[in-house]
Structures are given as structure tokens and as C-alpha cells.
Amino acid sequence: MRMNRVKKLWREGKPAVGGWLSIPHCLPAEVMAHTGLDWLCVDMQHGCIDYSDAVPMLTAISTTDVTPLVRVPWNEPSMIMKVLDAGAYGVIVPMVSNRAEAERAVAACRYPPKGMRSNGPNRVLLYAGADYQKHANDEVICAAMVETAEGIEKLEEIASTPGLDAIYIGPTDLALALGLPPVMDNDEPKHIATVNKILETCKRHGIIAGMHTASAKYSQRYLDQGFQMVMLTTDRGAMASHVKADVAKLTGWTPMKPVAPQGSGGY
Ligand code: 3PY
Ligand code: MG
């Protein structure tokens, strides 16, 4: 089976830095796959992306060794299985709040007897190779997002779910769950304490801690702390911030005022 770069890095005790895709086309996906990142996540929850967009995006990523991941819209086994069949080497499952939900996500990622994934690899056979089913249970990443009040409360039972590879933090939903404004790179003491607790819990249970950020500064902070799955930038965010920075450099003209200035916590 073709290597899962992220799993390999984790087995070597190294971190994996990734990017986020919310633009529904193969070209930004391919461009992002040539930037040095270890993984890219096709965001079907909040990105403007449906299944027929996701498939060519996975194809574009697979022209490189970047690990293709999908954030599914919800903890729904049929969609988890469909994106894995289409070539995702892992899923990020939003809003996982307890052991039963974590088990449901894991089971959808694993072939029997470990789980309930139905056999029907499609595009993934072209990407991974003919021995895919033999290795898929070990190589496919199942990451559960902890970002709800119940998930924070039941962190211990989620982190100890057999077969779960990682807990990935959604900082803005986490902030809302803590009664804070939905800020992505967050310095609120309550937020920092919860993030630290999730990291410590993941380490104790021998699973990977993942964090979503909106800047290199915060990515570096979480890497230094020991997060092994860190999201650096998004296609949409990178495009907007790069153009805005260039616009600000020019003199001798008056740039248009943006109609919708980007707030915090956007994608
Ligand atoms: C959040 O901030 O809640 C996320 O899910 C980030 O993707
Ligand atoms: Mg979220």
C-alpha cells in the first residue's frame, strides 16, 4: 500500500503540518499540495465542498505524496466510508462528544472484524495499490474533533477509544463551548487551559493531539508544545492574506475598502 506520510511521521515521533481546503476545485488543492505541507484536509463540513467536488480534489492531491484527508460534514458512517473509498487516507470527524460517538467514527474507518466499514474501495485502489484492504485498518487515520461542552467533559472516554488515532481541536467551537467568542488563535486563559488538558490527555493515552490554527505564530506555539498534527493555513485564508498584503504595499493609488472584512474564526 502506498505510504501514509502522516502515519509514518507519527510513528517516528515527528509532527505533521497541514493545510485546509475550502475552495471546491482541484486546482487550489493541487497548488496547496506543492507547498511543502505534509497533509491537506478537504473540508466538507464548512468548506463549499460536496462529494463530487471532493473526488477531483483528492485526485489532485494524490499527484504528490501529501496525505489526503477529509473532514466529513458529520459523524455519519456512510459519508466516512464514501470518502475513504474515494482516496482519503483519513477522516477528521467533527463534534465528537462521547465514547459511543468516537466508537461510531472508528468503526466506519475499519474493516471487520475491527469495525463495520463496508468493502468497496473505489478510486483508493488506484491511489493505494492492490493490497489496500490488507493494510487499511492500520494506515487510515481516524481523528475525532473535541470541540463541544460534552466532549470536553468526556475527554477521557473519547481519548481512550480503541482504534482512535488522534483528537483534533476545533478552536472556535471549543471557544463557544467554553462561553467565549469564536476566536481561532485564542489566548483566553480558559481556552489555553482546555487545550493544554486535551494535549496532556492525548499524550497519556498514546494518541496524537491535533490543533487548527490561523497563523504560523500559533502553529509554532502548538508544535513547540508537542502537538503532532498542526494546521497552518487554508486555501481561502492564504489567498486573501497574500493579496491584502500586496495591496497594502502599493503607493500612488487608493485600494477599495473590502466589502466584507474577514472576521476571526472564518475558513
Ligand atoms: C473550529 O474552530 O471549531 C473548527 O472546527 C476548525 O476547523
Ligand atoms: Mg468546529
Side-chain angles (χ1 to χ4, degrees), residues 98-116:
N98 53 50
R99 169 61 77 88
E101 289 177 11
E103 283 175 350
R104 178 180 161 97
V106 171
C109 294
R110 311 289 179 228
Y111 290 121
K114 285 197 171 161
M116 58 159 193

Side-chain angles (χ1 to χ4, degrees), residues 20 43 45-46 71 92 94-95 145-147 168-176 182-184 212-213 231 265-267:
W20 212 251
D43 183 9
Q45 185 191 20
H46 292 298
R71 174 162 73 173
I92 298 177
M95 300 273 188
M145 294 193 74
V146 167
E147 51 182 352
Y168 187 83
I169 301 174
T172 61
D173 276 316
L174 190 79
L176 289 176
V183 172
M184 193 72 82
H212 196 90
T213 83
M231 202 299 288
Y267 289 86

Side-chain angles (χ1 to χ4, degrees), residues 56-129:
M57 293 172 76
L58 293 169
T59 309
I61 297 166
S62 66
T63 58
T64 70
D65 283 333
V66 174
T67 299
L69 304 178
V70 171
R71 174 162 73 173
V72 287
W74 197 246
N75 189 358
E76 171 53 51
S78 65
M79 183 55 87
I80 293 175
M81 295 182 205
K82 247 174 120 61
V83 298
L84 295 178
D85 287 342
Y89 259 22
V91 287
I92 298 177
V93 182
M95 300 273 188
V96 173
S97 292
N98 53 50
R99 169 61 77 88
E101 289 177 11
E103 283 175 350
R104 178 180 161 97
V106 171
C109 294
R110 311 289 179 228
Y111 290 121
K114 285 197 171 161
M116 58 159 193
R117 181 175 173 192
S118 170
N119 183 59
N122 195 314
R123 212 205 121 248
V124 75
L125 279 185
L126 305 173
Y127 174 68

Side-chain angles (χ1 to χ4, degrees), residues 77-262:
S78 65
M79 183 55 87
I80 293 175
M81 295 182 205
K82 247 174 120 61
V83 298
L84 295 178
D85 287 342
Y89 259 22
V91 287
I92 298 177
V93 182
M95 300 273 188
V96 173
S97 292
N98 53 50
R99 169 61 77 88
E101 289 177 11
E103 283 175 350
R104 178 180 161 97
V106 171
C109 294
R110 311 289 179 228
Y111 290 121
K114 285 197 171 161
M116 58 159 193
R117 181 175 173 192
S118 170
N119 183 59
N122 195 314
R123 212 205 121 248
V124 75
L125 279 185
L126 305 173
Y127 174 68
D131 59 346
Y132 174 73
Q133 289 106 316
K134 205 168 145 204
H135 302 288
N137 280 358
D138 296 324
E139 293 303 315
V140 164
I141 294 167
C142 182
M145 294 193 74
V146 167
E147 51 182 352
T148 62
E150 187 190 350
I152 298 165
E153 188 195 321
K154 299 184 176 164
L155 176 60
E156 205 63 42
E157 66 177 55
I158 296 170
S160 57
T161 304
L164 187 71
D165 294 293
I167 285 180
Y168 187 83
I169 301 174
T172 61
D173 276 316
L174 190 79
L176 289 176
L178 296 170
L180 301 167
V183 172
M184 193 72 82
D185 289 342
N186 207 308
D187 282 321
E188 287 283 346
K190 219 174 9 167
H191 199 275
I192 291 175
T194 309
V195 168
N196 291 347
K197 187 173 167 208
I198 295 173
L199 174 63
E200 179 275 312
T201 307
C202 287
K203 284 195 177 295
R204 197 159 26 79
H205 287 284
I207 61 169
I208 300 298
M211 187 63 177
H212 196 90
T213 83
S215 64
K217 183 177 159 201
Y218 281 75
S219 283
Q220 190 62 58
R221 177 206 275 189
Y222 295 118
L223 281 173
D224 293 345
Q225 268 191 267
F227 280 86
Q228 282 178 268
M229 184 183 193
V230 172
M231 202 299 288
L232 173 65
T233 193
T234 69
D235 49 6
R236 199 200 69 152
M239 180 167 67
S241 57
H242 184 90
V243 177
K244 277 183 199 168
D246 274 357
V247 162
K249 281 181 201 156
L250 297 188
T251 57
W253 73 302
T254 308
M256 274 224 290
K257 227 177 150 43
V259 176
Q262 196 171 330

